[in-house]
Amino acid sequence: MAVYKAPIRDMQFVLHELLDAERSFAELPGGDEASADIIDAILEEGAKLCENVIFPTNRTGDIEGCRFDNGEVYTPSGFKQAYDAITAGGWTALACDPEYGGQGLPHTLSVFIEEMLQSCNMSLALYQGLTRGAYVAIHAHGTDELKRKFLPKLVDGSWSGVMCLTESHAGTDLGLLRTRATPDADGSYRVSGSKIFITGGDQDLTENIVHLVLARLPDAPAGVKGISMFLVPKFLVNDDGTLGERNTVSCGSIEHKMGIKGASTCVMNYDNAVGYLVGEPHRGLRAMFSMMNHERLMVGQEGLAQAEVAYQSAVAYARERIQGRALSGVKSPDKPADPILVHPDVRRMLLTGKAYNEAARALLGWVSLNVDVSERHPDDHAREHADDLVSLLTPVVKAFFTDYGSEVCNLSLQVFGGHGYIGEWGMEQLVRDARIAQIYEGANGIHALDLTGRKLSMHNGRLVKRYLKILNSFLADQSGDAALEEFIEPLAGAVASLDTATRWVAEAGKRNPEEIGAASYDYMRLMALVSFGYMWARTAVIATKKLPGDNSGFYQTKLTTARFFMKRLLPQTEALEKSLRAGSDSLMDLPAESF
Amino acid sequence: MAVYKAPIRDMQFVLHELLDAERSFAELPGGDEASADIIDAILEEGAKLCENVIFPTNRTGDIEGCRFDNGEVYTPSGFKQAYDAITAGGWTALACDPEYGGQGLPHTLSVFIEEMLQSCNMSLALYQGLTRGAYVAIHAHGTDELKRKFLPKLVDGSWSGVMCLTESHAGTDLGLLRTRATPDADGSYRVSGSKIFITGGDQDLTENIVHLVLARLPDAPAGVKGISMFLVPKFLVNDDGTLGERNTVSCGSIEHKMGIKGASTCVMNYDNAVGYLVGEPHRGLRAMFSMMNHERLMVGQEGLAQAEVAYQSAVAYARERIQGRALSGVKSPDKPADPILVHPDVRRMLLTGKAYNEAARALLGWVSLNVDVSERHPDDHAREHADDLVSLLTPVVKAFFTDYGSEVCNLSLQVFGGHGYIGEWGMEQLVRDARIAQIYEGANGIHALDLTGRKLSMHNGRLVKRYLKILNSFLADQSGDAALEEFIEPLAGAVASLDTATRWVAEAGKRNPEEIGAASYDYMRLMALVSFGYMWARTAVIATKKLPGDNSGFYQTKLTTARFFMKRLLPQTEALEKSLRAGSDSLMDLPAESF
C-alpha cells in the first residue's frame, strides 16, 4: 500500500541548516515573525492534517473520479470535508497578504506545506494551488476594487480561482486563441468563447469560482500581443460581497483522463459572461505570467511530491517483502528469504528516489527563498539577483522535477513487482497522476526552450553568468578540503560541462536558431543535474561539519546519499553535453515525410 | 488518435537485406519453403488482418476490460471474433511442428507477425503468445501421449495454454512456492494450491485452457530443486480428444490493473485437480525455462510493439497539429501556425522512437534467426554458437526493449500535449499497457542480474567473448572505409566500453558478489545500446551500398536515423560505464533503517 509520513526532519534541514531561514526571513519586512519555533510548529501541524485527513482521500478520489451531471461537477466523496479542513485551519492563507486576510508568512515556508498536500492528494491540492495562482495574478494586476471584492475569499478558500487559457486549437500557441471580450457600458466586459482543459473549472468545493480568462478585445492586434485577461466569476458578486446571480459560465463536459481523476478537467463555455479586466488591455500575458511563474514551481513540486510518497511506499514494501537471498549470503536466517532491500538493484531504484527527492526539496527551498527575496527584500540589488535566479531556475524546476518525478514513481512501482501494477496497491495511481505534471502548465519541451531560448540570452546572459558565478565561488570556497573532495571534484566537472554547453549554445544559436531548440532538452537536464549536484555538495559541507557527535545517523545518511548521487546519477551530465553538442543537423535532417 | 500501419518495408529490410533470410532459412531443414515471395505474402496478409480486424478492438478492450461473473471470466466485446479470425487464418500454427498441424515455418518469420498482433492489441495477443509458450514447453518435455492429445489443439488455437508460477508470497523467488501435487494410481497427479497473476487463467475465447502449473511432489527437496511442472486442463480430455468433465480448476477473482485490461489476470485455485507431469519430477524449472525463454523474447517485443504504434501515432499528430512557428522562420505561411514536426524538440522525441524501434526490430530478427539456428541447424557448432547468442541477448531484449518501450510510449504521449493525457486519444492506454512488460515474465532487474550473474560467467565467459568477437570482427571489417567512419567510430568506442565493463564486472565480482548485482542494470543497458549501435552500423553498411540510384528515400532515411542514434543516444554508454564502475559501496553503504 502507499504510505506517507511528512518528511519533517528533511524539511527542517533545508529550512534551518541549508537556508538558515530564520536569519534569511528576518531580512525581509515582517519576516521576523517566522521564528524557528513557529516554522517547526507549522510543519508539524501541517503534517498532522495531511497524513490523517488528506491522505485517506487519495485512493477514493482515483476510484470514484469526478462526476458530471446535468451541467454540474461533483468531486469524489470526502473531498469537500478534506477541503474544508484545509480552509478551516487557515492553510490557504499562510503566505498571503495580511491586508486581505493572509498571514503574511514567507512563501519559503508555505511551499513545504504545499509539498505535503500534494503528496497526500495531488488532485485535491490542485484546487487550492490554482486558487493561489489566481490570488497572485489579481494581487499583482487587479484594480483595488477587484482586490477588495475577490482576494479575501480566495485567501480564506471559500472561493477558488482557476486559469482559463487553452482552446482546442490553441495550447502552447496562445497567439491563436479566439475567445472574445467586448466592453460594456458599465466598465465591465462580456466574454464569449470556449476553453478546454480547465482544471477545477467547475466543482462542488467552494461557493464561487473565479475564472481568469484570456480573451481578445475588439481592437486587439493579432497574436500574443492582443490578449487580455478577464476575471469572470461563476456567480456575480454584489457590492457588499454577497453572491449575486449566476453568470453565464457553464461547464460543457469533463475529460476522462489517465490520472488526477479527483481533479475536474472541464470544457468551459463563456456565453456573453460578465468579466472584469485584470491589468492593462492587450497585456494579458504579463498578468498570466505572474500566475504561471508561481504555478510552474508548484507543478514542478508535484513531481517531487508524488516521488516522495512513491519512494516512501517502496521503502516500506522493500523492508517487508521477502524474496531471494542476498548475493553476499543469507541476511535473515530465521526467514525463508531476505527482505528485497538487501538486493543492490532494489537499492539502486530506492536511492535514485531518495537522492533526487532530497536534492529537489533543497533546490525548491532555495528557489522559494529567492522568490521571497525578489518580492520583499528592501535592497534593489538583492531583489534583482534573486529574481534572476528564480527566472533561470523556474523552467528547470518545472521540467526536470516532473520528469524525474515520473521516473521515480515508475522505479518505485517496479520495486513492488506485479503488485505495483494492481490498482489496490496505490502505486500505479502515483504513476498516472504524476504523468500530467510533465504536460500541463506548458509541456516540458517548452520550458526547456524557455530556458535556452529566453532565459540564457536575457540581459546579455546575465542570469546564467550569475548562476555560474555562484557555483564557481562555492567550488573555490571548498577547494583544498580533502574531506569534501569526493563531492567537489565531480561537481566541478559537471559545472565545467554546463559552462561549456552554455557557451556552445550561445555560439551555435547565433549561427542557426534551430540549434537552440535542438540543444534545449539536454541543456535543461544538464543544468538540473548540476543544480542537484550543487545542493548535494552544500548538504555534504554541512553534514561533514555536524557528523562528529551526531547519534541520529542523519548526517551520515546525507553523506552516503550525496556519494550515491555523485557516483551514479551525476555522470549523466557527460552524455548530455556530448549529445547537445551533436548539433541540430542530427534532428533536422530528416524530411517530414520520412518519419 | 492512435493509428497503425504494419511496418512491412522495415520488416522486409530486416528479413531480406539485413538477415538474408531466404538463404539463411535454406540452411535449415525444411526452411527452403520460406522463399522471399512466401515471406512477403505472409507479411502482407498478416498486416491486413492486424490493421483491419485486430486494431479496432484495442480501445474497446481497454474501456470495457474483462468481467468476472459467477466464477467465469468474460473478455471484452469483439475479442472472441478477433481471436477467431486469428485462428481461422491459421496464424497460430505458423512456426509450429507439422506433426501437430503446424506450418513449420521459421520462428524468424512468425516473430514479425507477432509484432503486428502485439501492436494492434497487446491484451489479445497475450492469450495467443502464452499458448505458444505452453506449446513450446509441452513439445520439448511432454510425453508422446500428452503431445498427441494437447498439441494439435494448441497449434490450431481452439485451446489456449497458460503458465501458472506465481503465488502471493512467491514471485521472483519460486523456491518459496507451496502448491502441492500427489501421485494418483493411474499415473496422473492431483494438484492443490492457489496461484496469482495468471494471465488468461480463465477466459471465454477457447473451448479449453491448458494450465502448466509449478508444484511440489510429496518427496520434493526444498527450494527450486523441488519444483515439478504439471499440465492441468480446465476440462479433462477423453482418449478420443473430445472434452470430458470439468476439472477442479477455478478462477477466484480477477485483478483491476493499470493496463492490459483486455487480458484477464486471474487468481487460480486448484482443488485436487487432475494433472499430468511434464518432464521429469523436480525438474520443473527446466521445463519452465523452455517456455520462458520464448516468452521473454515475446515480452521484450511487446515493448517494441507498443512503441511502434505510439511512434506512428505521434508522427501523424505532429504532422497535423499546428502550433507555433519554426525557429528558423515560417514554414507554412498559408496556415496560422506550423505543424509541430518543425520543432527540434518534437523531432528529438520522435527520432528517439524511430531509432530505438528500428534497431530493436533488427536485433530481435537477428536473435530470432539464431533461435531457429540453435534449434534446427544440422551443424552442432552452428547450433551452439547460435544458442550462446540467444542466451546472452534474451535478458537484454526482455529488459531493455520493455524499458525503452515505456520511454517511447511516454515520449509519444508527450508529443500530443494535453490530449495525450485524455483517454479518447488512445496514447495513455499505450503507456499503461506497455508498463506491465517491464514487470512480468521476471521484473527487469532480475533479467539484468541473469545477464551479469549467470550469462557472463557461463562456460567461463564464452558467451560474451563470442559476442565481443562478432562485434570486433565487424568493426575490423569496416575499418578504413571513410564513408562509414561516422558510424563505426562511435560504435567502436561503445564496444570498448562494453569490453572494459565486462572485465570490470568479472574482476570485481570475484572479490565481492554484491558487485555483480550493483553493476547489473547499467551493464544490461550498456550491452543493449551497443547491440542497437551494432544493428545501426550494419544497417548503415547496407544503406551506404544501396544509396546510389535509390529513389525511395528509404536508405537515406536509414542513414539519417543511424546518425541520430550514434550522436544522440549512444553517448549514454559512457555514463553507464562510469556509473557501474562506481562499485557496490555506493548502493550498499546505507543501512536498511536509513532509507
Side-chain angles (χ1 to χ4, degrees), chain A residues 318-325 330-340, chain B residues 173 176:
Chain A
R319 285 201 180 110
E320 278 175 24
R321 174 76 172 174
I322 59 168
Q323 208 76 181
R325 290 295 187 186
V330 173
K331 295 286 179 282
S332 303
D334 53 324
K335 292 188 185 146
D338 291 334
I340 60 173
Chain B
D173 192 347
L176 302 176

PDB file of all heavy atoms in Angstrom, chain A residues 318-325 330-340, chain B residues 173 176:
ATOM      1  N   ALA A 318       9.886  -2.758   0.423  1.00  0.00           N
ATOM      2  CA  ALA A 318      11.180  -3.448   0.288  1.00  0.00           C
ATOM      3  C   ALA A 318      11.696  -3.969   1.629  1.00  0.00           C
ATOM      4  O   ALA A 318      12.490  -4.906   1.682  1.00  0.00           O
ATOM      5  CB  ALA A 318      12.214  -2.512  -0.342  1.00  0.00           C
ATOM      6  N   ARG A 319      11.237  -3.367   2.717  1.00  0.00           N
ATOM      7  CA  ARG A 319      11.630  -3.852   4.045  1.00  0.00           C
ATOM      8  C   ARG A 319      10.828  -5.086   4.436  1.00  0.00           C
ATOM      9  O   ARG A 319      11.312  -5.946   5.162  1.00  0.00           O
ATOM     10  CB  ARG A 319      11.376  -2.768   5.098  1.00  0.00           C
ATOM     11  CG  ARG A 319      12.384  -1.650   5.071  1.00  0.00           C
ATOM     12  CD  ARG A 319      12.393  -0.902   6.416  1.00  0.00           C
ATOM     13  NE  ARG A 319      13.362   0.170   6.383  1.00  0.00           N
ATOM     14  CZ  ARG A 319      13.047   1.462   6.359  1.00  0.00           C
ATOM     15  NH1 ARG A 319      11.788   1.846   6.376  1.00  0.00           N
ATOM     16  NH2 ARG A 319      14.008   2.375   6.319  1.00  0.00           N
ATOM     17  N   GLU A 320       9.571  -5.146   3.955  1.00  0.00           N
ATOM     18  CA  GLU A 320       8.673  -6.219   4.374  1.00  0.00           C
ATOM     19  C   GLU A 320       8.680  -7.425   3.451  1.00  0.00           C
ATOM     20  O   GLU A 320       8.561  -8.559   3.892  1.00  0.00           O
ATOM     21  CB  GLU A 320       7.231  -5.686   4.430  1.00  0.00           C
ATOM     22  CG  GLU A 320       6.933  -4.958   5.708  1.00  0.00           C
ATOM     23  CD  GLU A 320       5.542  -4.347   5.686  1.00  0.00           C
ATOM     24  OE1 GLU A 320       4.673  -4.844   4.936  1.00  0.00           O
ATOM     25  OE2 GLU A 320       5.341  -3.368   6.420  1.00  0.00           O
ATOM     26  N   ARG A 321       8.760  -7.158   2.162  1.00  0.00           N
ATOM     27  CA  ARG A 321       8.642  -8.240   1.173  1.00  0.00           C
ATOM     28  C   ARG A 321       9.906  -9.085   1.200  1.00  0.00           C
ATOM     29  O   ARG A 321      11.014  -8.573   1.010  1.00  0.00           O
ATOM     30  CB  ARG A 321       8.460  -7.636  -0.208  1.00  0.00           C
ATOM     31  CG  ARG A 321       8.466  -8.627  -1.358  1.00  0.00           C
ATOM     32  CD  ARG A 321       7.168  -9.381  -1.448  1.00  0.00           C
ATOM     33  NE  ARG A 321       7.095 -10.204  -2.651  1.00  0.00           N
ATOM     34  CZ  ARG A 321       6.098 -11.045  -2.907  1.00  0.00           C
ATOM     35  NH1 ARG A 321       5.089 -11.176  -2.050  1.00  0.00           N
ATOM     36  NH2 ARG A 321       6.084 -11.743  -4.014  1.00  0.00           N
ATOM     37  N   ILE A 322       9.759 -10.383   1.436  1.00  0.00           N
ATOM     38  CA  ILE A 322      10.937 -11.246   1.415  1.00  0.00           C
ATOM     39  C   ILE A 322      10.912 -12.067   0.128  1.00  0.00           C
ATOM     40  O   ILE A 322       9.875 -12.572  -0.289  1.00  0.00           O
ATOM     41  CB  ILE A 322      11.023 -12.145   2.670  1.00  0.00           C
ATOM     42  CG1 ILE A 322       9.790 -13.041   2.785  1.00  0.00           C
ATOM     43  CG2 ILE A 322      11.173 -11.299   3.939  1.00  0.00           C
ATOM     44  CD1 ILE A 322       9.943 -14.145   3.815  1.00  0.00           C
ATOM     45  N   GLN A 323      12.085 -12.147  -0.497  1.00  0.00           N
ATOM     46  CA  GLN A 323      12.166 -12.800  -1.809  1.00  0.00           C
ATOM     47  C   GLN A 323      13.650 -12.937  -2.164  1.00  0.00           C
ATOM     48  O   GLN A 323      14.369 -11.958  -2.289  1.00  0.00           O
ATOM     49  CB  GLN A 323      11.454 -11.904  -2.850  1.00  0.00           C
ATOM     50  CG  GLN A 323      10.860 -12.611  -4.030  1.00  0.00           C
ATOM     51  CD  GLN A 323       9.560 -13.351  -3.720  1.00  0.00           C
ATOM     52  OE1 GLN A 323       8.982 -13.976  -4.569  1.00  0.00           O
ATOM     53  NE2 GLN A 323       9.080 -13.330  -2.492  1.00  0.00           N
ATOM     54  N   GLY A 324      14.098 -14.153  -2.283  1.00  0.00           N
ATOM     55  CA  GLY A 324      15.502 -14.379  -2.640  1.00  0.00           C
ATOM     56  C   GLY A 324      16.447 -14.123  -1.470  1.00  0.00           C
ATOM     57  O   GLY A 324      16.045 -13.710  -0.379  1.00  0.00           O
ATOM     58  N   ARG A 325      17.724 -14.398  -1.725  1.00  0.00           N
ATOM     59  CA  ARG A 325      18.752 -14.196  -0.697  1.00  0.00           C
ATOM     60  C   ARG A 325      19.776 -13.180  -1.181  1.00  0.00           C
ATOM     61  O   ARG A 325      20.020 -13.048  -2.374  1.00  0.00           O
ATOM     62  CB  ARG A 325      19.462 -15.524  -0.409  1.00  0.00           C
ATOM     63  CG  ARG A 325      18.586 -16.558   0.313  1.00  0.00           C
ATOM     64  CD  ARG A 325      18.201 -16.097   1.703  1.00  0.00           C
ATOM     65  NE  ARG A 325      17.512 -17.135   2.482  1.00  0.00           N
ATOM     66  CZ  ARG A 325      16.979 -16.909   3.686  1.00  0.00           C
ATOM     67  NH1 ARG A 325      17.030 -15.708   4.243  1.00  0.00           N
ATOM     68  NH2 ARG A 325      16.373 -17.887   4.336  1.00  0.00           N
ATOM     69  N   VAL A 330      23.103 -15.200   3.279  1.00  0.00           N
ATOM     70  CA  VAL A 330      21.816 -15.039   3.952  1.00  0.00           C
ATOM     71  C   VAL A 330      21.865 -13.919   4.995  1.00  0.00           C
ATOM     72  O   VAL A 330      22.796 -13.833   5.779  1.00  0.00           O
ATOM     73  CB  VAL A 330      21.437 -16.368   4.632  1.00  0.00           C
ATOM     74  CG1 VAL A 330      20.198 -16.218   5.492  1.00  0.00           C
ATOM     75  CG2 VAL A 330      21.228 -17.453   3.564  1.00  0.00           C
ATOM     76  N   LYS A 331      20.850 -13.051   4.957  1.00  0.00           N
ATOM     77  CA  LYS A 331      20.795 -11.954   5.922  1.00  0.00           C
ATOM     78  C   LYS A 331      19.723 -12.179   6.995  1.00  0.00           C
ATOM     79  O   LYS A 331      19.824 -11.644   8.098  1.00  0.00           O
ATOM     80  CB  LYS A 331      20.510 -10.624   5.209  1.00  0.00           C
ATOM     81  CG  LYS A 331      21.622 -10.177   4.262  1.00  0.00           C
ATOM     82  CD  LYS A 331      22.842  -9.663   5.015  1.00  0.00           C
ATOM     83  CE  LYS A 331      23.967  -9.247   4.072  1.00  0.00           C
ATOM     84  NZ  LYS A 331      24.734 -10.392   3.536  1.00  0.00           N
ATOM     85  N   SER A 332      18.670 -12.915   6.663  1.00  0.00           N
ATOM     86  CA  SER A 332      17.596 -13.188   7.632  1.00  0.00           C
ATOM     87  C   SER A 332      17.424 -14.697   7.769  1.00  0.00           C
ATOM     88  O   SER A 332      16.486 -15.268   7.218  1.00  0.00           O
ATOM     89  CB  SER A 332      16.270 -12.570   7.168  1.00  0.00           C
ATOM     90  OG  SER A 332      16.403 -11.196   6.970  1.00  0.00           O
ATOM     91  N   PRO A 333      18.348 -15.339   8.494  1.00  0.00           N
ATOM     92  CA  PRO A 333      18.335 -16.808   8.552  1.00  0.00           C
ATOM     93  C   PRO A 333      17.054 -17.366   9.167  1.00  0.00           C
ATOM     94  O   PRO A 333      16.689 -18.504   8.895  1.00  0.00           O
ATOM     95  CB  PRO A 333      19.544 -17.143   9.429  1.00  0.00           C
ATOM     96  CG  PRO A 333      19.921 -15.883  10.114  1.00  0.00           C
ATOM     97  CD  PRO A 333      19.412 -14.750   9.295  1.00  0.00           C
ATOM     98  N   ASP A 334      16.353 -16.551   9.948  1.00  0.00           N
ATOM     99  CA  ASP A 334      15.114 -17.013  10.580  1.00  0.00           C
ATOM    100  C   ASP A 334      13.931 -16.970   9.622  1.00  0.00           C
ATOM    101  O   ASP A 334      12.835 -17.417   9.965  1.00  0.00           O
ATOM    102  CB  ASP A 334      14.816 -16.147  11.807  1.00  0.00           C
ATOM    103  CG  ASP A 334      14.810 -14.661  11.460  1.00  0.00           C
ATOM    104  OD1 ASP A 334      15.629 -14.235  10.600  1.00  0.00           O
ATOM    105  OD2 ASP A 334      13.985 -13.925  12.027  1.00  0.00           O
ATOM    106  N   LYS A 335      14.121 -16.428   8.444  1.00  0.00           N
ATOM    107  CA  LYS A 335      13.013 -16.321   7.487  1.00  0.00           C
ATOM    108  C   LYS A 335      13.343 -17.131   6.235  1.00  0.00           C
ATOM    109  O   LYS A 335      14.504 -17.383   5.938  1.00  0.00           O
ATOM    110  CB  LYS A 335      12.797 -14.858   7.103  1.00  0.00           C
ATOM    111  CG  LYS A 335      12.267 -14.022   8.256  1.00  0.00           C
ATOM    112  CD  LYS A 335      11.896 -12.631   7.777  1.00  0.00           C
ATOM    113  CE  LYS A 335      11.478 -11.744   8.941  1.00  0.00           C
ATOM    114  NZ  LYS A 335      11.878 -10.368   8.737  1.00  0.00           N
ATOM    115  N   PRO A 336      12.295 -17.493   5.487  1.00  0.00           N
ATOM    116  CA  PRO A 336      12.546 -18.292   4.276  1.00  0.00           C
ATOM    117  C   PRO A 336      13.255 -17.509   3.169  1.00  0.00           C
ATOM    118  O   PRO A 336      13.703 -18.103   2.189  1.00  0.00           O
ATOM    119  CB  PRO A 336      11.136 -18.729   3.832  1.00  0.00           C
ATOM    120  CG  PRO A 336      10.190 -17.779   4.498  1.00  0.00           C
ATOM    121  CD  PRO A 336      10.858 -17.314   5.759  1.00  0.00           C
ATOM    122  N   ALA A 337      13.339 -16.207   3.296  1.00  0.00           N
ATOM    123  CA  ALA A 337      14.048 -15.381   2.304  1.00  0.00           C
ATOM    124  C   ALA A 337      14.408 -14.060   2.971  1.00  0.00           C
ATOM    125  O   ALA A 337      13.942 -13.764   4.071  1.00  0.00           O
ATOM    126  CB  ALA A 337      13.171 -15.159   1.078  1.00  0.00           C
ATOM    127  N   ASP A 338      15.259 -13.286   2.298  1.00  0.00           N
ATOM    128  CA  ASP A 338      15.655 -11.978   2.828  1.00  0.00           C
ATOM    129  C   ASP A 338      14.708 -10.894   2.313  1.00  0.00           C
ATOM    130  O   ASP A 338      14.140 -11.023   1.228  1.00  0.00           O
ATOM    131  CB  ASP A 338      17.084 -11.639   2.381  1.00  0.00           C
ATOM    132  CG  ASP A 338      18.120 -12.537   3.052  1.00  0.00           C
ATOM    133  OD1 ASP A 338      17.840 -13.030   4.162  1.00  0.00           O
ATOM    134  OD2 ASP A 338      19.197 -12.745   2.458  1.00  0.00           O
ATOM    135  N   PRO A 339      14.586  -9.790   3.063  1.00  0.00           N
ATOM    136  CA  PRO A 339      13.822  -8.652   2.529  1.00  0.00           C
ATOM    137  C   PRO A 339      14.492  -8.155   1.245  1.00  0.00           C
ATOM    138  O   PRO A 339      15.732  -8.171   1.145  1.00  0.00           O
ATOM    139  CB  PRO A 339      13.931  -7.580   3.613  1.00  0.00           C
ATOM    140  CG  PRO A 339      14.580  -8.210   4.784  1.00  0.00           C
ATOM    141  CD  PRO A 339      15.210  -9.489   4.372  1.00  0.00           C
ATOM    142  N   ILE A 340      13.711  -7.739   0.286  1.00  0.00           N
ATOM    143  CA  ILE A 340      14.309  -7.385  -1.007  1.00  0.00           C
ATOM    144  C   ILE A 340      15.196  -6.146  -0.924  1.00  0.00           C
ATOM    145  O   ILE A 340      15.935  -5.853  -1.861  1.00  0.00           O
ATOM    146  CB  ILE A 340      13.246  -7.219  -2.121  1.00  0.00           C
ATOM    147  CG1 ILE A 340      12.234  -6.120  -1.798  1.00  0.00           C
ATOM    148  CG2 ILE A 340      12.525  -8.541  -2.384  1.00  0.00           C
ATOM    149  CD1 ILE A 340      11.283  -5.816  -2.963  1.00  0.00           C
TER     150      ILE A 340
ATOM    151  N   ASP B 173      11.008 -15.332  -6.394  1.00  0.00           N
ATOM    152  CA  ASP B 173      11.639 -16.431  -5.658  1.00  0.00           C
ATOM    153  C   ASP B 173      10.729 -17.666  -5.691  1.00  0.00           C
ATOM    154  O   ASP B 173       9.984 -17.947  -4.766  1.00  0.00           O
ATOM    155  CB  ASP B 173      11.872 -15.991  -4.209  1.00  0.00           C
ATOM    156  CG  ASP B 173      12.784 -16.953  -3.460  1.00  0.00           C
ATOM    157  OD1 ASP B 173      13.030 -18.068  -3.958  1.00  0.00           O
ATOM    158  OD2 ASP B 173      13.248 -16.569  -2.369  1.00  0.00           O
ATOM    159  N   LEU B 176      10.036 -20.567  -3.017  1.00  0.00           N
ATOM    160  CA  LEU B 176       9.116 -20.482  -1.881  1.00  0.00           C
ATOM    161  C   LEU B 176       7.737 -21.078  -2.168  1.00  0.00           C
ATOM    162  O   LEU B 176       6.885 -21.127  -1.286  1.00  0.00           O
ATOM    163  CB  LEU B 176       8.927 -19.011  -1.470  1.00  0.00           C
ATOM    164  CG  LEU B 176      10.180 -18.218  -1.072  1.00  0.00           C
ATOM    165  CD1 LEU B 176       9.813 -16.762  -0.793  1.00  0.00           C
ATOM    166  CD2 LEU B 176      10.870 -18.822   0.156  1.00  0.00           C
TER     167      LEU B 176
END
